[in-house]
Amino acid sequence: MELIHPPRRPNILYIVADDQAPFDLKIYNPDSELDTPVIAQLAAEGMVIDGAHQMGAWCCGVCTPSRHMIMSGRTLWHVPDKPKLGRNPIALNPLHVPPDLADHTMAAVFNAAGYDTMRTCKKGNSYAAANAKFTVVHDAVKRGATDESGSAWHAKQVLNYLDQRKNSDDQDPFLIYFGFSHPHDTRDGKPELLAKYGAVDHREKSSLPPANPNQPKLPRNYLPKHPFNNTDMKVRDEVNVSGVWTNRDERTIRNELGREFACSENIDIQIGAVLEKLRQMGELENTYIFYTSDHGMAIGRHGLQGKQNLYEHTFRVPYVVKGPGIKPGSRAVGNIYHLDALATLCELAGIESPATSEGISFKKVLEGKQNTVRDILYGAYCGGAKPGIRCVKKGDWKLIRYESAEEGVRETQLFNLAENPDELLAAHHHPNVIALTGYTPTSHQVNLSSDPNYADKLHEMEQILLDEMRNHFDPYRFSGQPDDALDTTDTSNPPVGDSVPANKHNRDRLAK
């Protein structure tokens, strides 16, 4: 009698870059000069998700809540802060953030299901309690220009781990969290890659980097200065990044983009080495490969440098998935958040998603059975003044509100992303800016919030924003909104998400 072997459970390789805008990549921006042939091949053999987002942050280190959401599958206000910092004002409320949440995070869930788990990533600005659940951990900040001090170090940890599995004939499925420390600043690229992009590791604050025709062009939505105080203009990323500081001139931004691209291409090379090892081991075809970044990045777009904003270049993230059952060369809108990853990985692996998860599995999107998992997307940033910045997207429309009670900042932006995908403003129409970018905006490529023709749309989007702030237990409110913000000291009213039935209800509500 012929023995029938059960199907092999799939492996998972989850790759996370640190600070990368989706528009750096040709798969999102064909005009980009960044070469990432490995990521491009993953896209050709799998799916590109056009509407992948991070939900935002309650601190200037946007990567902290982003990585907490990836690990836990929980929404922005339902993940913990670093111990004792208290930047999420409801993080210590057990009705919002379960005290034992780390026991229900990515590695803990996969360990319990019989997977071998391994991670390498940067240290810090991450979910330490969840990270410690991985059986094998090799974390370090590696942002140097050599193989030992840069991205190749992270790849080496994965390659060594795979060698150990091969040598011990380990047949368990694996979950590998493959994180990088680049292209986050300081963007010390390898010399040959810096030369390719015409960039130098500029460190002299009193001078500008040299101009070089090989440097990447300025992005279409470049500005020499952001038009208004966005509630956090003095954050480190806007004033103290080595090589940029407060400079937003053409030479500085093009050089910094060259440094970014040099670091990103090196990441691509390192991913290629790991994929080749999986191919040699016969594991590649049974492995789901995810490529993303913790959040996007400005680097000159809108006159900003960092990730403390909610424009598309920062609110959106790159997202490519290849694996069994995914049609090669496919694309989907998705409308996913990072927090959906845990539920999706669990469903792909045949594991029950933890009851604490608030994410929605997008397995059906990967299979081509549906295009999106939600209709509305909410984003928040309040690492500076409060209430800070909020955004909401529905269809082609996006609203962004800014408010600093202390500084008197009150700004609103309304964009039709179909007509104005780069979120161009009046400042982008200035002849000096057009001369630098080489792009002349159309008359409709502006902020439409003050246009009376769109007053009804503005009102509709403002109501949707309020609804989403309520739905996500946002503890702040803007002027003109009802004074019904969550009482951060009250533990008498359990929120959606505090128990198994409530969590199922929350997932069902978000999926509608």
Side-chain angles (χ1 to χ4, degrees):
M1 179 182 295
E2 182 180 355
L3 293 177
I4 300 176
H5 297 283
R8 294 175 62 201
R9 290 187 290 173
N11 305 309
I12 294 168
L13 178 66
Y14 194 88
I15 308 168
V16 185
D18 192 0
D19 287 13
Q20 186 180 69
F23 307 111
D24 289 352
L25 302 171
K26 286 185 171 72
I27 56 175
Y28 292 101
N29 174 18
D31 294 331
S32 175
E33 294 147 285
L34 170 60
D35 287 330
T36 53
V38 175
I39 295 170
Q41 187 64 27
L42 285 177
E45 296 174 353
M47 173 177 281
V48 175
I49 295 181
D50 288 309
H53 302 74
Q54 49 92 9
M55 191 177 275
W58 22 252
C59 62
C60 61
V62 180
C63 43
T64 297
S66 173
R67 293 163 188 266
H68 281 57
M69 287 185 276
I70 291 172
M71 285 293 167
S72 67
R74 291 185 60 89
T75 51
L76 176 62
W77 303 102
H78 284 172
V79 291
D81 194 358
K82 291 180 181 179
K84 300 181 180 180
L85 289 184
R87 296 169 297 185
N88 175 2
I90 60 176
L92 297 180
N93 185 328
L95 298 179
H96 289 276
V97 182
D100 63 345
L101 181 59
D103 294 333
H104 308 284
T105 52
M106 185 182 291
V109 171
F110 275 79
N111 287 338
Y115 270 68
D116 295 339
T117 60
M118 179 266 177
R119 73 170 266 132
T120 182
C121 199
K122 70 172 182 180
K123 271 192 173 181
N125 282 2
S126 195
Y127 194 173
N131 300 345
K133 300 294 182 179
F134 285 85
T135 304
V136 177
V137 179
H138 296 291
D139 285 354
V141 176
K142 296 290 181 176
R143 295 187 180 128
T146 67
D147 284 346
E148 183 56 32
S149 65
S151 293
W153 185 89
H154 290 296
K156 183 179 179 182
Q157 310 314 307
V158 178
L159 293 170
N160 288 345
Y161 176 73
L162 292 174
D163 276 336
Q164 292 166 8
R165 284 180 56 88
K166 182 179 179 181
N167 293 337
S168 64
D169 195 29
D170 189 340
Q171 297 299 308
D172 292 336
F174 62 75
L175 165 68
I176 297 175
Y177 186 97
F178 183 13
F180 290 95
S181 308
H182 265 151
H184 187 292
D185 69 277
T186 302
R187 301 175 177 94
D188 289 342
K190 300 187 76 171
E192 63 272 24
L193 292 174
L194 285 172
K196 175 178 177 176
Y197 295 105
V200 298
D201 286 335
H202 182 59
R203 300 183 186 279
E204 182 51 59
K205 195 171 184 178
S206 62
S207 66
L208 298 180
N212 190 311
N214 293 329
Q215 291 169 348
K217 297 186 295 291
L218 290 174
R220 184 178 289 183
N221 49 8
Y222 161 81
L223 284 177
K225 182 181 180 180
H226 195 260
F228 56 85
N229 177 359
N230 76 349
T231 75
D232 203 9
M233 295 299 292
K234 296 180 181 179
V235 67
R236 171 202 171 272
D237 283 26
E238 296 300 332
V239 300
N240 204 30
V241 170
S242 176
V244 181
W245 302 285
T246 58
N247 299 328
R248 299 294 184 270
D249 60 280
E250 179 184 13
R251 280 166 57 176
T252 296
I253 295 303
R254 290 184 65 185
N255 185 72
E256 194 66 12
L257 285 170
R259 298 173 77 183
E260 169 98 352
F261 285 12
C263 294
S264 293
E265 183 169 343
N266 190 30
I267 286 174
D268 191 77
I269 292 168
Q270 305 312 321
I271 295 171
V274 170
L275 297 186
E276 175 59 21
K277 171 65 73 172
L278 290 174
R279 187 192 66 78
Q280 293 173 4
M281 295 172 63
E283 295 283 10
L284 188 59
E285 296 307 312
N286 191 45
T287 300
Y288 284 101
I289 301 159
F290 287 69
Y291 177 82
T292 188
S293 174
D294 51 0
H295 44 70
M297 203 66 186
I299 310 188
R301 300 172 178 101
H302 291 97
L304 301 171
Q305 170 61 24
K307 58 261 187 181
Q308 295 81 10
N309 66 86
L310 293 174
Y311 289 115
E312 292 291 274
H313 48 69
T314 302
F315 184 40
R316 281 176 57 184
V317 294
Y319 221 96
V320 182
V321 188
K322 173 187 179 294
I326 300 176
K327 182 181 178 181
S330 56
R331 296 186 86 103
V333 174
N335 280 352
I336 67 171
Y337 294 118
H338 269 321
L339 64 98
D340 298 323
L342 181 56
T344 305
L345 298 185
C346 285
E347 188 172 10
L348 290 172
I351 300 171
E352 184 177 357
S353 181
T356 51
S357 172
E358 296 173 311
I360 304 170
S361 170
F362 52 90
K363 179 174 180 283
K364 288 183 178 179
V365 172
L366 298 177
E367 294 172 336
K369 296 177 180 178
Q370 64 188 67
N371 191 42
T372 62
V373 296
R374 53 175 64 81
D375 296 327
I376 296 170
L377 291 150
Y378 153 89
Y381 176 75
C382 57
K386 307 297 184 287
I389 314 173
R390 299 294 185 279
C391 76
V392 69
K393 290 172 64 175
K394 182 179 181 182
D396 293 334
W397 291 92
K398 180 177 180 182
L399 175 78
I400 311 178
R401 288 197 63 176
Y402 306 78
E403 187 168 324
S404 167
E406 298 86 355
E407 300 168 303
V409 175
R410 290 184 184 179
E411 299 284 345
T412 300
Q413 295 172 326
L414 179 68
F415 300 109
N416 183 321
L417 296 176
E419 294 183 348
N420 190 8
D422 299 301
E423 297 164 295
L424 301 180
L425 308 170
H428 290 101
H429 293 247
H430 193 283
N432 292 347
V433 174
I434 292 172
L436 288 169
T437 63
Y439 180 75
T440 302
T442 68
S443 60
H444 287 90
Q445 291 181 323
V446 291
N447 171 16
L448 301 172
S449 65
S450 61
D451 188 327
N453 294 315
Y454 300 97
D456 289 345
K457 178 57 68 173
L458 176 64
H459 178 74
E460 174 193 346
M461 295 299 289
E462 287 179 331
Q463 183 59 50
I464 292 173
L465 175 61
L466 176 60
D467 292 343
E468 289 301 293
M469 292 174 72
R470 288 167 168 165
N471 289 341
H472 289 90
F473 306 97
D474 192 323
Y476 301 102
R477 290 292 182 268
F478 286 83
S479 58
Q481 291 183 330
D483 186 17
D484 60 357
L486 192 70
D487 181 354
T488 58
T489 64
D490 181 19
T491 61
S492 62
N493 296 308
V496 172
D498 71 301
S499 64
V500 176
N503 267 322
K504 182 181 186 303
H505 168 75
N506 197 29
R507 291 195 294 270
D508 291 346
R509 173 181 60 78
L510 290 170
K512 290 180 181 177

